[in-house]
Amino acid sequence: MYDRDEIPDSLSVSGQINCRAELEGLPDVSFPLTGLNTAHIEVLSFHPCAQVPEQGVDKQSLMFSPPLGNFVLMRYQAICGLGPPIKGFYQLSMVSEDEGAFLFKLHLMEGYKGPLTMEFCNVTMPFPRRRVMYFDGTPSIGTVSTTEHSVEWKIITGGRGLTGKSIEATFPGTVKFAPWQIQRLPSSRSGSGGSVMVDEDSDIETENTNNMVNIEEFLLKKMNKDLPPVDLEEPFCWQAYDYAKVSFKTVGASISGMAIDPKSVSIYPSVRAPVEFSSQVTSGDYILWNTLGKCPSAATAKE
């Protein structure tokens, strides 16, 4: 999620249908999979036991002879047909070398209806190269905690799910970091008196400090120069403060738009057997890029 006019948001869904059939003999099971037009399927693959007739505009009929035990009947990749379950923006601006002001404004489950329920939703601000001393701010909903290198906002917690309605959640605040030890390797320059060890950036920094043309740009350049390299475990964070990560879980329906009606499942030869169906969605890399910072994006081809 970019919240920028020049960069469109990107949201995709990867999923699968897990199946377990406790049936005697070798019966055939069939059902229609609906909502394919809404889901905008990009990739679709099936278990070898499945027989897949020609796909319709918005419906896919499946027939299969289920093997014993659990198996994956179908895998798919699709565009999120219902829109983002969490949308909004995240902004963080450095007011000094060791303090930043941030703002979240999020909409949860906008356009979603029951039986879809959001069981939990957390937002984490990671700071892998800075140590958090304290934060100040009160969210409109939820609770906040900190670790040495992150601030975590728990918007929805277990036992208090969100069903059949949308909410707006805001969180303004400031975060204070511990000063870091500047580590620079001095450069060697030749002069008339031999080699002299100097700090190449001292004159540049003094000039920038005096001019103060762009205070925040100066602070970011200075901090990113002095900060140690980020760990490989944080591939999205090549600068100091780039993104917040959302974690959530929904149950009750798929957010791709595809659906299975348990009442439409048929078994041949006919046998009385209960059909149970459940669905859940868990977040992958759900990233809110800092609107005021730098972010990666794929360039679109010009025709």
Side-chain angles (χ1 to χ4, degrees):
M1 310 295 290
Y2 293 95
D3 190 47
R4 300 176 189 227
D5 293 336
E6 69 276 17
I7 306 176
D9 293 335
S10 175
L11 188 64
S12 63
V13 180
S14 298
Q16 63 188 42
I17 298 176
N18 301 317
C19 185
R20 179 182 178 89
E22 298 179 352
L23 300 170
E24 295 181 355
L26 296 172
D28 289 330
V29 180
S30 63
F31 63 85
L33 182 66
T34 60
L36 299 186
N37 192 35
T38 304
H40 303 290
I41 298 295
E42 296 176 328
V43 179
L44 200 59
S45 63
F46 299 92
H47 190 276
C49 74
Q51 302 176 39
V52 185
E54 186 176 347
Q55 179 179 322
V57 176
D58 195 43
K59 182 184 294 186
Q60 174 74 68
S61 297
L62 293 179
M63 178 180 293
F64 58 97
S65 298
L68 296 175
N70 300 317
F71 67 99
V72 178
L73 178 62
M74 187 186 86
R75 289 186 171 90
Y76 64 90
Q77 292 182 2
I79 297 172
C80 185
L82 300 179
I86 296 110
K87 58 183 178 180
F89 65 81
Y90 162 56
Q91 296 178 345
L92 188 144
S93 175
M94 296 305 296
V95 296
S96 72
E97 292 182 20
D98 300 324
E99 185 175 353
F102 63 84
L103 172 64
F104 287 95
K105 187 173 182 180
L106 307 177
H107 292 273
L108 278 64
M109 303 291 282
E110 189 172 57
Y112 285 73
K113 300 178 181 179
L116 199 64
T117 299
M118 180 169 283
E119 289 193 337
F120 74 85
C121 179
N122 301 333
V123 178
T124 301
M125 287 184 284
F127 304 107
R129 298 189 288 184
R130 296 301 299 269
R131 183 160 59 89
V132 177
M133 296 297 291
Y134 66 87
F135 82 94
D136 182 37
T138 303
S140 62
I141 183 175
T143 59
V144 183
S145 60
T146 62
T147 67
E148 188 175 13
H149 295 288
S150 68
V151 176
E152 184 173 5
W153 176 22
K154 296 182 178 180
I155 304 176
I156 300 173
T157 57
R160 300 182 61 183
L162 181 64
T163 306
K165 63 178 181 179
S166 64
I167 61 170
E168 181 179 287
T170 58
F171 183 17
T174 57
V175 58
K176 181 74 173 180
F177 305 106
W180 70 86
Q181 297 296 322
I182 297 177
Q183 298 177 351
R184 295 186 189 143
L185 295 175
S187 301
S188 176
R189 287 182 178 176
S190 297
S192 58
S195 287
V196 181
M197 305 301 284
V198 299
D199 184 349
E200 293 184 359
D201 300 315
S202 59
D203 293 336
I204 298 174
E205 287 180 4
T206 302
E207 182 180 349
N208 281 341
T209 305
N210 292 334
N211 292 337
M212 286 297 179
V213 176
N214 189 327
I215 297 175
E216 185 166 354
E217 183 178 353
F218 164 70
L219 288 171
L220 286 174
K221 286 182 179 179
K222 186 174 187 299
M223 286 185 296
N224 286 322
K225 177 180 70 224
D226 295 330
L227 288 169
V230 69
D231 292 335
L232 292 178
E233 286 74 14
E234 291 289 345
F236 292 111
C237 205
W238 68 89
Q239 292 193 21
Y241 323 98
D242 283 325
Y243 74 97
K245 186 172 183 177
V246 184
S247 301
F248 67 88
K249 178 182 177 181
T250 64
V251 297
S254 168
I255 65 173
S256 68
M258 289 191 296
I260 298 173
D261 182 1
K263 296 179 180 179
S264 67
V265 177
S266 62
I267 303 170
Y268 182 83
S270 181
V271 61
R272 295 177 61 90
V275 178
E276 298 178 358
F277 173 79
S278 64
S279 63
Q280 70 175 37
V281 179
T282 55
S283 56
D285 289 322
Y286 203 102
I287 304 299
L288 299 173
W289 293 103
N290 179 9
T291 307
L292 304 180
K294 294 183 179 181
C295 60
S297 63
T300 55
K302 295 182 179 181
E303 296 182 357

